[in-house]
Amino acid sequence: ERAAGGAADELRLSGGGARSALWNQVKASVTGRTLSVLATLDSGVLGAALMGMVAAGIEPDLVSAADRRTAVASGVDPEPGAFQRLDDLYGVYRDTYAALGPIFPRLTT
């Protein structure tokens, strides 16, 4: 949102990772926001088809095409109290990664 220069009204999940209820829950809890899971998870393919429709003149623009052909299947609410635990675990991950840094070059030999 900071990079885009404004707040997003809604955060939507798609792709292979959106098939995991646990991963969706983690993302909702970390962001502290309700996330929407799209009905069509293969959104890359859908996006390509929508761009083709616009290029062929079937749709006037990408926003209109997407509005008519995307739907939200479900929502995922943040788990109360989970943010602090996940933030602590992220710190453990960062420390572990840094500690393993000197070992990583051995994997390429």
Side-chain angles (χ1 to χ4, degrees), residues 35-56:
L35 306 178
S36 300
V37 181
L38 293 179
T40 301
L41 295 179
D42 297 319
S43 56
V45 174
L46 177 59
L50 296 177
M51 287 187 278
M53 289 178 180
V54 172

Side-chain angles (χ1 to χ4, degrees), residues 47-105:
L50 296 177
M51 287 187 278
M53 289 178 180
V54 172
I58 297 169
E59 287 287 351
D61 57 71
L62 198 52
V63 172
S64 300
D67 284 346
R68 284 195 274 283
R69 290 179 179 81
T70 59
V72 172
S74 62
V76 182
D77 293 321
E79 185 179 323
F83 176 83
Q84 189 58 55
R85 176 69 178 138
L86 292 169
D87 194 49
D88 292 344
L89 288 172
Y90 181 60
V92 171
Y93 162 78
R94 289 179 54 96
D95 292 345
T96 302
Y97 192 87
L100 291 172
I103 296 171
F104 290 150

